[in-house]
Each structure stands twice: as C-alpha cells, then as structure tokens.
Amino acid sequence: LTCSSGRTVTACIYSLAFPLQLLSRQICVSSAAWRKNLAAAGPEKFSEEYIKKQVEEFNIGKRHLANIMGEDPETFTQEDIDRSIAYLFPSGLFEKRARPVMKHPDLLFPKQTAVQWGEDGRPFHYMFYTGKQAYYSLMHDTFGKVLALEKYQDSMRNKGLFTKDTRQMSLTGSRWLLKEELEELLVENISDHDYTRFLQLMERLLSMPYCAMEEEFVQRFRRQLEVQSSKQEIPAVQHDENGVAFSQAEGRRKTAKASIKLRDCGTGSITINGKSYLLYFPVLQDREQLMFPLHFVDMLGRFNVEASVEGGGHCAQAGALRLAVSRALLSFVSAGEMESMRQAGLLTPDPRVKERKKPGQAGARKKFTWKKR
Amino acid sequence: MWQIMNLPRLYHRLRLTARSLHSSANGQQVEKVAVAVDPDVPSQVSVFRTSENDPTCHTELHAGQYYTLPPAHMRTLFPHGLPPRFQMQMKTFNEACVMVRQPALELITCLRKADYSEPALRYVLYGEKGCGKTLSLCHVLHFCSTQGWLVLHIPDAHLWVKNCRELLPSSSRPGRFDQPIQALNWLKNFKTTNEHFLSKIKTTQRYVWTKRESTEEGRPLGELVDQGVSRVKSSSDVVGALLRELRLQAGGAAEGAFRLAVAVDGVNALWGKTTLKKEDKSEVLPEELTLIHNLRKMLRNDWCGGAILTTLSQTGSLFKPRSAYLPMELLGEEGFDNMDPFVPIPVSNYSDKEFESCYLYYLDRNWLQHPHSRTEDGKKELIFLSSRNPSILERLCAFL
C-alpha cells in the first residue's frame, strides 16, 4: 500500500485502519512537530514503481540526447552521455560531484530492499526473522558449498582418484571485498564480527583441495587490486644531427610551465626564452635554484640548456626550470644518483598552490578585524 | 631547501708557488713584492699580477693580469672617474688594482698608431652591463696621462641630465639652462687633473661674463677655471669656453702643443631624454642644457690632435631597458648619426684566464673567506652564478 506522497508504509499493522486519521493529523500539526518528523523519518525511500519510471525516463532521455547530438541512439554509451552533458551544460564549479550528471537510476538511487512480505504479512524469505536475511543466507549457501565439496572429496577418495594437486584458483592481484562493499552488495548493515566470520568461512572454502569448482562463486567476492603506480619516467636520450646527445623534459611549479632541452656540449651556457640566464634572473636566489640540480650531480660546466618558460612569477619560473633540469638529467645519471636526487627533493614537484580566498575572510587565512562588541 | 649544497671538502691546496712569491698574507702591505713576468715561465704557475705599472708598456703578455695604479697618479687622474664600487674595493684592499684586458689593449694600440694630424677618431666601448667598460676607459686614461696628454674626463654624463636641483636659465643665451653645481664640481676635478697644463695654455679670445667681469685674451687657462670656480653662476659658460679653447688649441704646431683626450662615460645620455622639468612642467631637452650642448660640440670630429674615447652605459640611463647594450639601442637614431663614424670596441665578460686571475686576486686579498669558495667546486659555482660577469662576481664575492 502506498500513500499519495509515494512513501512506503513502514511495517505498521495499523496502516490499514487509520490512513485518513494520519492525513487529517498532518494538517493541524505545529512546525516544531514537523521538524521532529523530518529528522526521525530517515533517508528518503523510493518505491519500486518510482524507480522503474525513472529508468524508463532515463532511457527515453538517452535517446533524445543522442538525437540532439546527432549520434546513433542505439550505440550511445555512458561516456558519450557524459561528454554530451558536459558540452550542453558547461559548469564552472570546481567540485566535480556538484556538476550536472545524467546516469542510470540504479547508479544514482541508493539500493533499497523491496517489500519483504506479502499481503498477508508473511515474509517471503525463510530467514527473515534472523534480522539479517541476506547475510545469513549467504553464509548458509557458502557452508552448503563447503559441505558439497567435502562430499565430492569423499566420493573421489572412494573411487581412488583423490589427488591434492588439482587446479588452483589464481588469487594474486585481487583482494576480498571490504566491509562497506559487502554491505552494499547485501543491501544490509553488517557488524565487524559478521564480516570477520564471513572472511573466515571463505578462507575455509579456499583451503579445500577442489575449491576450483566454486571459482565463479568466490570471484564474486573478490576485487582486482589497482595496477602498481608508475615509477619515475626517465626522458629518452636523443641525438641531434651533429651526434650530440640531448634530452627534453618539462617541469611545473605554481602556474609556471617550463620545457627544456639539455645538450651535452661542453660549455655551461643557459638560455631562457632567448635571453641569457644572467639577464633573465637578476636575482641571485633564482640562479641558485637553477644551479642546484647541476651542482648536485657535479655536472656544472658540461651541459647547455635551452629553456622556454611561461606563466607564474620569477620564483615559480625558477622552480619549474629546476624541476625540468632535474628530470632531464635523469637520462645522463646512474640509478644510485637518481635515488639520491630523489632524496634531495629535486624530483618531487612542489604541490603548493595559491589557496583560495574564503567568503567572510579577508584572504585565505587572514580574518577581518575582530571586534569584541 | 634552496641553499647551495655545501658538501665540505678537504681544504684545496692553492697554487702555493704563486703565493710564496708574494710577501704578506694579511693584505696589510700597500706595495707587494711583485714578480716580473717571465714569458718562459710555464702557464701552470698563473701569476695574476704584473709589476709593470706603466700602461705604456702593457702588451698582450700582460692580458688578464692585475697592475697597481700608483696612489699619486690616482689622486690626480681620478678624483671623480672611478666607479663607486671600485672605490669601495680600493679602500678595502688598500690598493687600486686594475686588470689589463683585451679591449683596453686594443684601444691603446689604436691610440699609439693614430695619426694626430687627422681629425680626432671616436672610439665607443660597448658591452653588457657590468662588463668592465668604465674600468677599461680608466686604464686607457692612465695611459694617456702617462703619455702627457690633457685628459678631459666626464665621469658620468648621466649625472648632468638627471637629479639636478638648481636649473638656472642661462645668462648668455635665452632658451638654455645652466647647471651651476654640476659645472662647479666638474671644474674643480678638472683643475686637480690637469694642474700643469693650466698655466701653459692661453686663451685666444676675450670672454665677457658679466658687466664687470671678463677674461682677457692671452690669459692662462687657470684663470678661466678660477673664474668658473669662484663665480658659480657663470660656471656652465666657463665650461663651454674651456672646451672651445681646448678644441682650438689641441694638436697645434706650437711648442706648447698637447694632445687632448676627451673621455665621456655614458655618452648615450647626451642624446637620450632628461628627467629635468622647467617651471611649467614641460620637459627639458638635452640640447637646452648648456653643458650638454657644449659637450656635443666637443664630440664632433672637426678638431685635430687628440682622440675621443666614450663608453655606453645602461646603468644610469633613462628610459632604456636593462637588456639594451648595443650602440644602436642605447644611442638612438640621433645619437648614432652624430657619433657615426666611430670605432666600436666590444667589452665582454671574463674569459677563462681572466676569471682565473680575478679569482686568484680575491683569494690573495683574503676576500673569499668561506672555505668552500676556495675549492674547485666553489669556483665552478662562482662561474655559474656570476656567468663570468665582473660586476656580478664582485657583488657575489662580497658576501662570501
């Protein structure tokens, strides 16, 4: 039974008896009571009908969108949808989750359990009265499989075909579901203790010789680990027409971007945007920044640097150039020196950016004058 | 995080052979027991000093080496000519050592070979900021004065086009402006430099300053100068008259003939803009200043018997970008046309050998106190950070 507002009726035996009274009550209730009501209601519940309607609307909308963009509605994927929405509704918001989004309702609406009992009030599932029916049924199924495997083992032993070296499942590169993920799968709240018991049972299943038969079942509860994060990329050493070795690299700091070419010539000259570095950086500190990577690996007079840099102020440009020079040097330097460069902090891009100014304050951290009264 | 990585090294053993040849280690002596330059000595023993203090005898062999300016000469020749940082260095080191460099040698050779019956040749020293143009000019002036020339040295023409407190309308000509203070200072310095000439040269014409004052024909130049020094109001006109006299009498056939060296540092000021304003806030053009006008006449090559040595300078210049150093950029169209034809002499940063000798000089004077700066590594750092520019190197070593 659903009310006109579309809210599912809670497990209330009196719902059949007093719908009208509820409606009449709502009109003359005070605002304080309204507020309390809202807090106690919990997260909004959507009915199945509603969700189905949303799914239909989504599909129709997807076809409309494909027509708008001039593409084939049949082969319109979610990526295409995202692209089109970003094109049609450009947003300047920094928070990506606040931007307009069009996704399948299953992804947007939280999963909810459907009504668990029939019209006569009798629950469908036989484990309903445990309180956590999905969890216990899962444990029950898993244990059933364990018993089935043992039975199979015994039958193989009886036939005399029992071997320990059967095909094993590959568990490398994957991990068990986290507690939150399991909760999401079962659409139920689980305690830590329950989660631990679940993992123990799974491990017991895997410890049996013939567990490869249940591979599909087990894989449902495992997730792939992410690929190893990439190691430092060393720019390749190229040779120009005279046979001189050179390498290119880029670096960034705050808003400044620098890209350099490091040539293995013999003089120690550095040209930045066509000017000598003495003219471009009249401040000693900036020139020291430039000198740091070359001095660290003792190759001060060996390289010629041609650099182009834009954006930022003079310190940011010097920092960007320093990072670019360190990266370019990696191709001329041994692995041990690379490690020491990393420890010296030459290869780490500086993550500090200008902090945004907040409303109600004069700057990022500075507050307005505080007045006592 | 951006400190120089001071990996402490062992104390680098200096070229002790060079050190042992010089006497004091504390830099208290004024005159060192210097070693005569022997061409047979192998180049490993890099001696950075030479005992040859007479610029007349400086040759290619002495290139890159420091020679000492005798204090007596210095007081007469350069009451105002040396750059301020060099004067501070002189005070600290108790001696004035100038490096013999290629551009100066070139200029000296040109001066030696020039024909002085021809109109005066113009030489322009140009180069990047802080390369050593002014000091090269001073070196050449030392040479000129030892040869017995009359030295007319304007230390910085930029001082005459900016920061002038008193700007008087000229007494002799309408539409021109006088700068009494600058003219007075310059006359005093000129007097110190060329004492012995003042009594020998005589004026050729009568100059009337005011209703009551005038200088007759045939009076010694000293009187002219004293007139300018005592009567401040007419000092700019005195300067003009002085320049005219010298122009007329230089290189004459008479037995009192002398050669005239006109040295202007920062010659691009004469054709640039000024920052001076008239009472009605309109800008003063350089031509309207008496001093500049007369100096421009001096720089024309219509007189014989001398040479015009000039330097371009961006340091004091007005409205010129820092990266400008070529004659075309700094002189502008007008200036270039006026100065054309001239002999351009480029001055560049230190070469390896010159840097080496500068470094050794600072070490010898105990100027580089930091132990790391005495190592090879430190030297490389210095080369990088200063990019072999003399002035930047000097400023860098000042806090080491």
Side-chain angles (χ1 to χ4, degrees):
Chain A
L1 181 77
T2 58
C3 289
S4 55
S5 60
R7 288 166 184 263
T8 54
V9 174
T10 48
C12 175
I13 313 172
Y14 309 111
S15 60
L16 287 165
F18 307 110
L20 289 168
Q21 273 194 0
L22 279 171
L23 280 170
S24 57
R25 272 245 189 104
Q26 267 177 351
I27 294 169
C28 49
V29 127
S30 67
S31 59
W34 283 338
R35 256 184 274 131
K36 276 196 204 143
N37 251 349
L38 283 171
E44 204 183 346
K45 294 196 180 14
F46 304 100
S47 62
E48 272 189 45
E49 271 182 32
Y50 179 74
I51 301 251
K52 264 195 228 150
K53 206 171 77 167
Q54 295 294 316
V55 173
E56 278 168 27
E57 282 184 10
F58 172 76
N59 286 325
I60 295 174
K62 197 166 100 166
R63 297 184 77 90
H64 275 310
L65 188 61
N67 280 331
I68 292 173
M69 298 301 287
E71 302 200 17
D72 184 14
E74 305 301 326
T75 57
F76 207 56
T77 60
Q78 184 59 44
E79 284 161 7
D80 297 328
I81 296 179
D82 291 334
R83 205 172 22 90
S84 325
I85 293 289
Y87 171 70
L88 291 169
F89 302 98
S91 157
L93 298 172
F94 287 119
E95 177 66 57
K96 306 266 185 213
R97 290 176 292 181
R99 292 182 183 174
V101 80
M102 179 167 161
K103 283 213 170 112
H104 192 88
D106 282 345
L107 300 168
L108 289 177
F109 290 96
K111 276 200 210 158
Q112 285 163 350
T113 50
V115 176
Q116 312 279 0
W117 49 88
E119 278 190 12
D120 51 355
R122 225 171 139 241
F124 296 131
H125 204 281
Y126 66 102
M127 282 204 180
F128 176 76
Y129 287 109
T130 59
K132 297 180 259 193
Q133 63 182 46
Y135 169 74
Y136 282 113
S137 73
L138 173 64
M139 295 293 272
H140 185 75
D141 292 338
T142 316
F143 193 67
K145 291 196 193 291
V146 168
L147 291 176
L149 278 186
E150 278 183 2
K151 215 166 135 187
Y152 183 70
Q153 255 184 38
D154 292 336
S155 70
M156 294 299 268
R157 259 205 209 99
N158 288 341
K159 285 187 218 165
L161 298 169
F162 178 73
T163 44
K164 279 243 170 112
D165 51 332
T166 46
R167 184 175 64 92
Q168 293 295 321
M169 296 200 302
S170 62
L171 295 172
T172 54
S174 60
R175 58 168 175 90
W176 286 119
L177 281 186
L178 294 174
K179 179 164 168 271
E180 288 79 19
E181 289 170 354
L182 189 59
E183 280 183 358
E184 206 188 350
L185 192 66
L186 300 176
V187 197
E188 232 172 40
N189 290 335
I190 316 175
S191 70
D192 288 333
H193 181 72
D194 296 336
Y195 179 64
T196 326
R197 297 291 277 186
F198 167 69
L199 286 184
Q200 282 171 357
L201 189 56
M202 282 303 202
E203 290 296 328
R204 183 175 161 187
L205 179 65
L206 287 180
S207 64
M208 310 187 75
Y210 289 99
C211 58
M213 290 172 35
E214 305 299 338
E215 184 170 351
E216 198 193 300
F217 176 73
V218 172
Q219 287 294 351
R220 264 200 286 154
F221 299 102
R222 285 193 77 92
R223 294 278 176 269
Q224 290 297 319
L225 287 169
E226 295 101 19
V227 183
Q228 276 279 321
S229 55
S230 57
K231 287 209 175 144
Q232 183 82 34
E233 278 181 9
I234 306 181
V237 179
Q238 300 153 51
H239 292 264
D240 67 358
E241 47 293 332
N242 299 337
V244 174
F246 73 95
S247 66
Q248 288 175 306
E250 293 181 353
R252 270 197 276 191
R253 167 93 212 269
K254 267 185 173 179
T255 339
K257 290 191 208 129
S259 81
I260 65 158
K261 238 190 211 181
L262 201 71
R263 268 184 222 273
D264 195 357
C265 280
T267 53
S269 79
I270 302 192
T271 330
I272 307 178
N273 287 355
K275 289 161 103 174
S276 152
Y277 68 110
L278 202 58
L279 270 184
Y280 198 79
F281 287 135
V283 181
L284 181 68
Q285 180 180 346
D286 300 334
R287 272 174 280 142
E288 280 181 357
Q289 289 279 301
L290 263 194
M291 187 179 78
F292 183 23
L294 294 169
H295 176 71
F296 192 76
V297 291
D298 271 333
M299 295 180 182
L300 263 181
R302 188 171 141 191
F303 292 103
N304 271 5
V305 177
E306 293 161 24
S308 67
V309 68
E310 53 178 8
H314 66 100
C315 275
Q317 287 186 342
L321 278 171
R322 180 182 112 168
L323 183 60
V325 167
S326 327
R327 283 189 183 156
L329 275 179
L330 286 178
S331 46
F332 292 98
V333 126
S334 65
E337 289 206 10
M338 179 167 108
E339 194 47 47
S340 59
M341 273 172 85
R342 183 194 315 255
Q343 306 239 330
L346 276 169
L347 300 173
T348 337
D350 203 329
R352 298 178 286 179
V353 211
K354 198 162 167 178
E355 202 175 305
R356 79 163 260 215
K357 176 197 175 313
K358 283 102 189 171
Q361 292 179 0
R365 299 285 174 103
K366 182 175 164 68
K367 322 277 184 277
F368 291 128
T369 326
W370 179 76
K371 290 213 155 30
K372 199 156 181 184
R373 52 188 67 84
Chain B
M1 197 164 105
W2 47 271
Q3 299 291 330
I4 299 178
M5 295 293 290
N6 286 327
L7 306 163
R9 297 277 184 101
L10 295 173
Y11 187 87
H12 177 73
R13 194 162 176 274
L14 290 176
R15 291 179 173 84
L16 285 176
T17 40
R19 288 208 80 174
S20 60
L21 295 170
H22 299 281
S23 48
S24 85
N26 294 330
Q28 284 158 3
Q29 311 296 330
V30 173
E31 293 290 336
K32 293 291 196 96
V33 176
V35 182
V37 174
D38 191 358
D40 297 334
V41 169
S43 58
Q44 277 195 351
V45 180
S46 50
V47 182
F48 55 92
R49 274 194 206 268
T50 167
S51 59
E52 191 54 72
N53 286 343
D54 189 5
T56 332
C57 313
H58 282 156
T59 57
E60 304 284 330
L61 285 173
H62 302 94
Q65 290 174 356
Y66 280 87
Y67 82 97
T68 327
L69 276 173
H73 279 190
M74 232 173 40
R75 256 174 269 117
T76 44
L77 243 197
F78 298 122
H80 54 178
L82 298 168
R85 276 203 86 93
F86 186 72
Q87 284 175 353
M88 287 196 293
Q89 185 181 314
M90 256 163 40
K91 202 164 152 214
T92 320
F93 291 166
N94 239 349
E95 62 179 7
C97 274
V98 176
M99 195 195 270
V100 176
R101 287 181 81 188
Q102 191 48 44
L105 285 174
E106 220 178 282
L107 198 45
I108 291 181
T109 352
C110 288
L111 288 178
R112 262 190 243 198
K113 294 186 192 152
D115 184 3
Y116 290 106
S117 51
E118 300 280 314
L121 274 175
R122 286 187 279 225
Y123 302 93
V124 173
L125 284 164
Y126 71 97
E128 293 212 348
K129 190 168 155 156
C131 279
K133 306 182 279 285
T134 311
L135 273 189
S136 302
L137 189 68
C138 294
H139 182 197
V140 176
L141 283 184
H142 188 206
F143 164 78
C144 292
S145 79
T146 45
Q147 297 277 299
W149 294 29
L150 196 152
V151 166
L152 196 82
H153 186 41
I154 289 114
D156 195 356
H158 291 295
L159 295 174
W160 289 357
V161 296
K162 57 181 180 177
N163 298 342
C164 180
R165 302 275 170 78
E166 282 184 22
L167 201 64
L168 301 175
S170 167
S171 40
S172 46
R173 299 213 204 313
R176 286 242 198 104
F177 292 93
D178 271 358
Q179 287 156 301
I181 314 174
Q182 275 89 349
L184 183 65
N185 283 333
W186 187 79
L187 279 174
K188 282 192 202 155
N189 291 327
F190 177 78
K191 198 164 152 188
T192 337
T193 317
N194 301 307
E195 283 288 356
H196 52 280
F197 278 109
L198 292 177
S199 40
K200 289 191 214 155
I201 311 176
K202 307 274 188 250
T203 54
T204 51
Q205 121 182 34
R206 185 166 181 266
Y207 294 101
V208 178
W209 308 119
T210 57
K211 284 195 206 121
R212 273 165 241 169
E213 285 156 13
S214 63
T215 312
E216 303 301 324
E217 199 179 315
R219 307 296 300 155
L221 218 54
E223 223 183 85
L224 199 63
V225 175
D226 290 327
Q227 167 73 33
V229 167
S230 49
R231 292 275 176 268
V232 181
K233 272 213 174 129
S234 48
S235 49
S236 320
D237 294 322
V238 165
V239 171
L242 183 68
L243 292 178
R244 186 167 166 279
E245 289 300 318
L246 292 173
R247 209 166 45 231
L248 289 174
Q249 295 190 20
E255 19 78 31
F258 58 91
R259 297 224 186 115
L260 180 62
V262 179
V264 185
D265 202 331
V267 75
N268 46 323
L270 300 184
W271 288 283
K273 293 197 226 174
T274 64
T275 45
L276 306 172
K277 299 247 191 312
K278 299 181 218 174
E279 275 98 30
D280 53 353
K281 310 279 177 120
S282 62
E283 213 181 271
V284 174
L285 297 169
E287 298 78 60
E288 294 176 11
L289 293 169
T290 333
L291 289 173
I292 306 289
H293 182 86
N294 291 321
L295 200 54
R296 278 198 199 177
K297 279 198 272 184
M298 201 68 191
L299 290 181
R300 274 196 303 218
N301 53 352
D302 50 0
W303 51 277
C304 318
I308 304 178
L309 315 157
T310 63
T311 322
L312 295 176
S313 166
Q314 193 278 332
T315 319
S317 72
L318 301 159
F319 310 107
K320 292 277 182 234
R322 192 173 166 270
S323 50
Y325 72 96
L326 294 169
M328 192 65 210
E329 293 165 353
L330 282 177
L331 284 173
E333 287 242 9
E334 198 197 330
F336 198 87
D337 293 332
N338 273 316
M339 286 297 283
D340 204 23
F342 61 86
V343 178
I345 303 178
V347 184
S348 58
N349 286 332
Y350 281 153
S351 66
D352 282 332
K353 186 166 170 236
E354 289 172 343
F355 183 87
E356 182 75 37
S357 80
C358 181
Y359 178 72
L360 288 173
Y361 176 63
Y362 284 143
L363 276 180
D364 174 63
R365 296 267 97 203
N366 277 337
W367 193 227
L368 296 171
Q369 288 286 317
H370 200 284
H372 184 64
S373 60
R374 300 182 195 203
T375 61
E376 274 301 316
D377 252 4
K379 196 160 133 204
K380 282 193 203 162
E381 281 185 37
L382 284 176
I383 297 183
F384 185 95
L385 284 178
S386 63
S387 176
R388 293 209 187 93
N389 187 294
S391 77
I392 305 250
L393 178 65
E394 197 257 316
R395 271 161 226 262
L396 198 53
C397 297
F399 41 72
L400 278 180

